Amino acid sequence: MARSKLNALVRSLTLAASVGAPCLAAAADLLPPPPPPPPPIEVGGGWYLRGDVGASVYTRPKYTEAYDYTGYPDANRSFGNEVGGGGFAGVGVGYQFTPFLRGDVTGEYRYSTGLRGSEYYKGPEFDNGLGSYGVNKSSSNFDSAVVLANAYFDLGTWYGITPFVGGGVGYAFNHVSGYSTNQQFTSPSYAYDYGHPIYDCSCGAPSYNYAPVYDSNGNPVYNTNSGSKFYKSKTSGSFAWALHAGLAYDVSDALKIEVAYRYLNLGKAETGPGFVPCCTGSLQAIKVKDIEAHDVKIGLRYYLGGLVAAPLPPLMPEPIPGPLVRKY
């Protein structure tokens, strides 16, 4: 009797399983698929850091109020002003907006071998065709701090090399220190020609010409005067702008090396007021205009993008797929 009841229970459970399994499979087919894993998170995006070093050659600037020893017209004067060559180093941060457009903000310190100037002049001619002449020479130290906002256009990449052009605008803090001038002025010696008196009448007192002095060989005697002026140091701000052209090489996806040319206009600079050691008066400051540099530089760009954060694990484990159910 007990065996008959056990066999009846087993047949009931088997029948329930055979009927319920297709229903459970159909229900599993109706469940929504599990959510996809979150996308990778890129750290840094198109941001990059840069550093540059280079050398500079400056064009000849214009000096104003640099020399005021004489009032001779410019036709009798010639100048030889220059800014000595030097170097620079800078850093910056930028962003790659598109494969062809990027921009950065840079700051750099520049130094040179100094501002140098010279003025040669010829004075008015005196008796017997003799004249005066002289030279003024100046020297000082020059350095600058420059901040620029730049934009570049990358023109495509071939074999890992990308040519580019660009431009920038910014501000230069130009510093002039230790400025001084020295004058050497040479002119004929003059004296009254007492050996050749001039009589207006036979009974009157004679007069004498104020004539050049000659030595025993008949050569005119010259004398030389000298003097110096000194000027206080000063830092002055000026609008600056630049033009860029160069090549970049892909060392890796994140690291680029650049070789570039840059034209940089630093604007103007000036000294503080000047003084003469033996005098108490103040002299007008010396201004230097049109300070232009031609730079050759090497730079590195390191992109902060490319680091990917691991996705978060799912909140619930994915369900195990059920058996494939075919419906006829």
Side-chain angles (χ1 to χ4, degrees), residues 18-72:
S18 61
V19 174
C23 297
L24 292 175
D29 291 340
L30 298 177
L31 293 177
I41 302 174
E42 185 178 5
V43 179
W47 291 99
Y48 63 84
L49 303 176
R50 70 173 304 135
D52 300 274
V53 295
S56 303
V57 175
Y58 292 85
T59 60
R60 183 171 295 181
K62 297 178 181 178
Y63 284 31
T64 61
E65 305 297 336
Y67 308 105
D68 54 2
Y69 287 105
T70 67
Y72 301 150

Side-chain angles (χ1 to χ4, degrees), residues 5-303:
K5 291 182 178 181
L6 180 60
N7 291 335
L9 179 60
V10 171
R11 287 194 298 270
S12 300
L13 293 175
T14 303
L15 179 60
S18 61
V19 174
C23 297
L24 292 175
D29 291 340
L30 298 177
L31 293 177
I41 302 174
E42 185 178 5
V43 179
W47 291 99
Y48 63 84
L49 303 176
R50 70 173 304 135
D52 300 274
V53 295
S56 303
V57 175
Y58 292 85
T59 60
R60 183 171 295 181
K62 297 178 181 178
Y63 284 31
T64 61
E65 305 297 336
Y67 308 105
D68 54 2
Y69 287 105
T70 67
Y72 301 150
D74 289 341
N76 294 336
R77 306 162 81 177
S78 61
F79 299 91
N81 306 320
E82 64 177 354
V83 182
F88 62 91
V91 295
V93 59
Y95 191 82
Q96 186 86 40
F97 297 100
T98 72
F100 302 100
L101 176 64
R102 57 187 168 89
D104 55 42
V105 176
T106 59
E108 66 185 51
Y109 170 75
R110 307 176 60 88
Y111 70 91
S112 82
T113 55
L115 293 170
R116 295 185 291 269
S118 59
E119 175 197 25
Y120 300 90
Y121 57 90
K122 181 180 180 182
E125 294 186 353
F126 295 95
D127 295 342
N128 299 341
L130 303 178
S132 59
Y133 57 91
V135 58
N136 294 326
K137 291 187 176 182
S138 66
S139 63
S140 70
N141 303 313
F142 174 76
D143 59 277
S144 180
V146 185
V147 178
L148 291 173
N150 306 286
Y152 309 90
F153 296 95
D154 295 327
L155 305 179
T157 302
W158 296 268
Y159 304 101
I161 299 176
T162 305
F164 63 87
V165 294
V169 294
Y171 206 72
F173 300 89
N174 299 320
H175 179 69
V176 180
S177 61
Y179 198 103
S180 63
T181 64
N182 179 265
Q183 176 205 31
Q184 298 290 333
F185 182 78
T186 301
S187 60
S189 297
Y190 284 81
Y192 287 105
D193 187 5
Y194 292 106
H196 299 85
I198 300 174
Y199 294 95
D200 294 331
C201 62
S202 58
C203 61
S207 61
Y208 305 92
N209 286 326
Y210 192 67
V213 176
Y214 293 86
D215 59 19
S216 58
N217 295 322
N219 299 316
V221 177
Y222 284 85
N223 59 63
T224 300
N225 298 315
S226 62
S228 298
K229 297 179 180 181
F230 302 89
Y231 295 81
K232 295 182 179 181
S233 303
K234 184 175 180 179
T235 299
S236 54
S238 180
F239 174 76
W241 59 278
L243 297 174
H244 310 268
L247 300 173
Y249 177 71
D250 296 342
V251 180
S252 68
D253 291 339
L255 183 63
K256 322 289 182 183
I257 185 170
E258 293 182 1
V259 177
Y261 161 80
R262 178 178 65 182
Y263 166 83
L264 179 62
N265 189 306
L266 296 169
K268 60 185 179 180
E270 63 179 299
T271 70
F275 61 93
V276 178
C278 62
C279 303
T280 59
S282 178
L283 303 176
Q284 186 175 1
I286 293 175
K287 298 179 181 179
V288 185
K289 301 188 300 182
D290 299 336
I291 304 175
E292 301 173 323
H294 298 278
D295 299 337
V296 176
K297 62 177 184 173
I298 298 176
L300 291 175
R301 275 187 281 137
Y302 180 74
Y303 283 80

